[in-house]
Amino acid sequence: MSATSRFHFWRTVFWLVMAAGVVAGFQRFYYGLGASTNLSDRFPWGIWIGFDLLCGVGLAAGGFTLAATVHLFNIKAYEPVVRPAILTAFLGYLLVVVALMFDLGRPYRIWHPLVMWNPRSVMFEVGWCVMLYTTVLFLEFLPVVLERFKLHTAKRLLQGIMLPIVIAGVILSTLHQSSLGSLYLIVPNRMHPLWYTPWLPVLFYLSAIGVGMAMTIFESWHSARAFKRHLEIKLVRGMTRVLVVVIAVYFALRGMDMLQRKAYTALFEPGYERWLFLLEVALMAGPMILFWFDWSRKSPRTIYLGSVAFILGFVTNRLNIGLTSFERVTGVNYFPSWQEVAITLMMIGLGFAIFRFAASHLPIFESHEEEETQARGGEPGVPVLASTPGD
Amino acid sequence: MARAILYDSTLCVGCRECEKACSEGKKLPYNEKVAAEETVSSHKLTAVRTHGERFSRKLCMHCLDPACASVCPVAALEKTAAGPVVYHPERCMGCRYCMVACVYQVPSYQWEARLPLIQKCDMCADRTAPDAVTRCSEACSFEATITGERHELVEIARKRMAEKPNDYYPKIYGIEEVGGTSVLVIAGVPFEQLGYPSSVAKAALPNYTWAALQYVPDIAVVGAVLLGGIHWITHRREEVSRVEGAAAGREVPQ
């Protein structure tokens, strides 16, 4: 397939997905959740929580990991990938909120946690963190827009207060990425023992950092192709090393926990759960073993495929926790309705389309003006967010 | 003063008068079709279940420290001092976390409604008199369901079990389950056989969440200090070069 026909193919797919999503959305809001989803009293959370929320927030984790890498740890080499990561995160969080509007029974009350507090609730904490962090991401992304419209004074003012914003972003992300795991601490008797552990918050946090790296590699690869740029191969190689360490720590913790609580005995119980567990572990641990070898890091294609495997492993893990692990105790074999799938696909499609649009109209990838580098010379120590050094 | 319910499976004859009284009191339709449904739902807040010759009742257990109330992000569920776990529909945004969290799968959703709400047994919280009994207790002619103070009901249960030890499985369900419930159950066979999960945690479920959630303020404060410090250390070189650059450029002494 030539580049043009591939473009037309994906454009057709996109509009088909949007059409299906609109029909499904109408059915969901007009006929209600019962008529449009396979959710029930026994199985009240489906893929809108398991995928759109758990995976959506996780896949957007590159935003805070790269902001921290560049602006707090001062590893300047990674600057070229900060902007795409922040954009992905911002879009990701916006789409998570949109997806939640489909899932909530009364979406017009989504603001209720602002005034009706329950600090004992993990969902309350996640709600606040997601709201505040989306604001942080907006502020972190704003310099790109200001730069596009040449509003240099505003940009400089904003960058003057960027340090506390970046720190707040990393803290908020740490809190809610882990709290998505804490959501499930309340159901020790309902989840399958292969997935329930008091360490869920820490495991969620570690895997989010890993998938943030993997997603950044994934984006760099696709942007390089779409915008005919060369892949930042040195950066990508460096990230695979970090990924190896993050996955290793993740499995060290998960393995020790399974041994100490003897949760591994559940592997010998009959049922399909163990196979899904092994699939998840293979997809997540595979790239770690792969990237351990130097030859794998020489080929951009291998790096790309390894990152995709880890992303798929991460998604399998979240779907297993959100869906699979509840099937045994509830006796429900949940499979999403076409409407649930259509709305999820619509979110993914919107994510790709808006990213593409933003990347072609805003200075996401190209290096920007020389003057910026000089302008910030007067304020050293203050992170200049989402900026690439002038060439 | 905290209201509680004792259900004695050995005295229950399965007449379903409790179901009928509950539905009538809550203005929910009740007919043969509804009576045949042996599970709670948004249109049936208590259900009598048949297990061969025996019966059991399903209703909200009104946990002493309920998971549903702890997880609700808008505090739409509340354990009141009077005993019942009540629902404030005007707060609910429909996230259904309560349904996920409840180990008894009690909160039910109006799936067919365009703007749905949760439905659950509220132990007749509308009857506020201190000595008021629930509609299901009132309707029961066999003392299989009775309302009273929790500690009094425990005494009654112990007395019944002591009088006829052969009729009872020697345990009161709800004393220690999930940290204790306001609905207590006694029966002739192990509770697992009557649809009451026997392997539930003995501690109140919100403790499991709190074990992690309590560290949120610590992570926020320690994390912010740590990250600020890391930034200060890692950006020292720029600071030094700026001072030196300024000194060299302007030729300021020292």
Side-chain angles (χ1 to χ4, degrees):
Chain A
M1 231 183 336
S2 77
T4 335
S5 62
R6 197 164 50 216
F7 178 72
H8 285 294
F9 169 74
W10 283 111
R11 199 171 58 177
T12 316
V13 169
F14 173 77
W15 287 113
L16 285 175
V17 165
M18 289 303 120
V22 168
V23 175
F26 171 77
Q27 296 198 353
R28 184 270 167 253
F29 285 112
Y30 193 78
Y31 298 108
L33 285 164
S36 56
T37 68
N38 284 345
L39 302 175
S40 62
D41 281 346
R42 303 196 122 204
F43 215 87
W45 280 0
I47 57 166
W48 291 343
I49 298 294
F51 184 85
D52 298 28
L53 177 66
L54 295 189
C55 296
V57 169
L59 295 175
F64 90 90
T65 42
L66 281 164
T69 305
V70 171
H71 298 304
L72 299 178
F73 294 98
N74 202 19
I75 308 174
K76 288 244 161 41
Y78 285 88
E79 283 212 29
V81 285
V82 172
R83 281 190 175 186
I86 301 267
L87 174 62
T88 312
F90 186 41
L91 290 180
Y93 277 82
L94 288 180
L95 289 170
V96 164
V97 175
V98 174
L100 270 183
M101 302 296 269
F102 287 87
D103 187 74
L104 289 179
R106 293 183 173 236
Y108 62 94
R109 289 178 174 176
I110 196 167
W111 55 274
H112 274 195
L114 289 179
V115 291
M116 302 173 188
W117 285 29
N118 182 12
R120 286 177 87 200
S121 164
V122 182
M123 186 77 90
F124 172 77
E125 190 229 325
V126 171
W128 267 89
C129 280
V130 167
M131 181 189 62
L132 292 174
Y133 186 53
T134 309
T135 314
V136 163
L137 282 169
F138 169 75
L139 292 173
E140 287 183 345
F141 187 67
L142 197 54
V144 179
V145 183
L146 296 176
E147 183 184 309
R148 165 73 179 75
F149 295 102
K150 301 206 184 324
L151 298 163
H152 299 303
T153 319
K155 189 183 161 193
R156 221 166 297 144
L157 283 174
L158 184 58
Q159 276 166 348
I161 54 161
M162 206 44 104
L163 177 60
I165 295 177
V166 171
I167 291 179
V170 177
I171 299 290
L172 289 167
S173 295
T174 303
L175 290 177
H176 71 266
Q177 292 285 3
S178 57
S179 285
L180 286 178
S182 309
L183 277 182
Y184 293 93
L185 291 178
I186 195 88
V187 284
N189 309 113
R190 303 194 68 203
M191 268 172 86
H192 194 284
L194 284 175
W195 288 284
Y196 185 87
T197 154
W199 287 98
L200 271 172
V202 182
L203 293 175
F204 263 60
Y205 183 55
L206 289 172
S207 51
I209 293 176
V211 88
M213 294 282 162
M215 276 297 283
T216 310
I217 297 172
F218 177 84
E219 279 157 25
S220 302
W221 164 270
H222 278 283
S223 325
R225 282 161 63 102
F227 299 103
K228 305 211 166 33
R229 299 165 53 254
H230 66 99
L231 185 68
E232 312 270 4
I233 186 74
K234 261 193 188 160
L235 295 190
V236 164
R237 249 179 226 151
M239 278 192 272
T240 55
R241 271 186 192 266
V242 181
L243 193 54
V244 169
V245 176
V246 173
I247 305 174
V249 173
Y250 173 84
F251 276 112
L253 174 61
R254 201 166 171 193
M256 287 303 284
D257 172 60
M258 286 193 86
L259 280 175
Q260 285 164 354
R261 296 185 311 109
K262 297 196 172 27
Y264 61 88
T265 53
L267 279 173
F268 307 110
E269 294 168 12
Y272 54 87
E273 284 94 346
R274 54 183 169 168
W275 305 119
L276 286 167
F277 172 82
L278 290 176
L279 173 71
E280 158 194 330
V281 170
L283 283 169
M284 289 177 91
M288 170 181 73
I289 297 164
L290 176 73
F291 291 148
W292 179 259
F293 297 102
D294 272 339
W295 58 263
S296 76
R297 276 182 268 118
K298 293 221 164 70
S299 144
R301 194 170 188 84
T302 315
I303 292 178
Y304 171 72
L305 291 176
S307 308
V308 169
F310 185 74
I311 293 168
L312 291 177
F314 173 90
V315 170
T316 313
N317 169 256
R318 296 306 196 257
L319 291 180
N320 278 341
I321 286 168
L323 308 173
T324 313
S325 72
F326 285 91
E327 297 202 338
R328 186 156 86 182
V329 79
T330 57
V332 176
N333 280 310
Y334 165 83
F335 194 83
S337 69
W338 77 261
Q339 292 96 332
E340 291 176 80
V341 175
I343 283 166
T344 294
L345 288 178
M346 179 164 72
M347 295 304 136
I348 300 173
L350 282 174
F352 274 99
I354 302 174
F355 185 92
R356 205 192 153 83
F357 178 83
S360 4
H361 290 86
L362 294 168
I364 306 292
F365 290 109
E366 70 263 38
S367 320
H368 54 103
E369 316 95 322
E370 193 84 344
E371 50 170 320
E372 286 306 312
T373 339
Q374 288 160 359
R376 76 184 167 178
E379 300 158 52
V382 175
V384 181
L385 209 91
S387 68
T388 52
D391 291 318
Chain B
M1 291 303 295
R3 183 183 295 167
I5 287 176
L6 172 66
Y7 171 69
D8 187 338
S9 168
T10 68
L11 300 179
C12 180
V13 299
C15 67
R16 299 181 188 274
E17 286 300 315
C18 50
E19 288 184 359
K20 196 176 162 200
C22 175
S23 289
E24 281 169 2
K26 297 288 170 192
K27 300 192 171 56
L28 293 166
Y30 193 76
N31 51 41
E32 271 181 31
K33 191 169 152 280
V34 175
E37 297 170 4
E38 298 212 337
T39 180
V40 295
S41 65
S42 60
H43 60 267
K44 185 169 185 176
L45 307 186
T46 179
V48 173
R49 297 174 295 193
T50 318
H51 312 269
E53 301 281 289
R54 300 177 192 278
F55 301 97
S56 73
R57 273 191 73 197
K58 175 146 184 167
L59 70 161
C60 174
M61 301 297 284
H62 296 277
C63 308
L64 298 183
D65 189 359
C68 60
S70 86
V71 300
C72 180
V74 291
L77 289 153
E78 181 198 357
K79 174 77 178 178
T80 59
V85 177
V86 299
Y87 175 60
H88 304 290
E90 71 285 356
R91 302 174 84 100
C92 178
M93 55 181 193
C95 72
R96 309 188 294 284
Y97 194 10
C98 52
M99 303 173 68
V100 173
C102 177
V103 72
Y104 299 107
Q105 300 194 16
V106 162
S108 306
Y109 211 46
Q110 295 171 323
W111 293 102
E112 63 293 341
R114 199 173 290 167
L115 291 175
L117 291 169
I118 293 286
Q119 294 285 313
K120 69 178 277 298
C121 157
D122 66 352
M123 221 198 251
C124 296
D126 55 312
R127 298 186 165 183
T128 49
D131 55 346
V133 300
T134 63
R135 292 175 177 86
C136 53
S137 304
E138 199 173 58
C140 185
S141 320
F142 305 92
E143 296 216 315
T145 299
I146 55 173
T147 305
E149 285 286 312
R150 189 168 183 268
H151 65 92
E152 287 170 13
L153 294 181
V154 172
E155 284 314 305
I156 293 172
R158 290 218 172 104
K159 210 170 127 212
R160 286 186 189 176
M161 291 160 82
E163 280 168 4
K164 296 180 177 174
N166 293 334
D167 286 4
Y168 289 96
Y169 176 71
K171 184 175 147 62
I172 303 174
Y173 192 94
I175 294 279
E176 58 176 7
E177 278 72 17
V178 292
T181 60
S182 290
V183 172
L184 305 167
V185 181
I186 48 177
V189 290
F191 296 101
E192 195 77 359
Q193 298 174 27
L194 300 177
Y196 301 102
S198 63
S199 58
V200 297
K202 302 298 174 224
L205 293 172
N207 296 346
Y208 288 78
T209 304
W210 196 244
L213 199 59
Q214 62 178 325
Y215 295 112
V216 165
D218 307 68
I219 293 171
V221 173
V222 176
V225 171
L226 181 67
L227 291 174
I230 286 173
H231 177 269
W232 186 66
I233 294 169
T234 59
H235 286 73
R236 188 183 152 345
R237 192 171 296 167
E238 276 96 325
E239 211 167 306
V240 169
S241 67
R242 177 182 61 116
V243 172
E244 283 175 354
R250 289 182 209 150
E251 306 229 0
V252 179
Q254 281 131 32

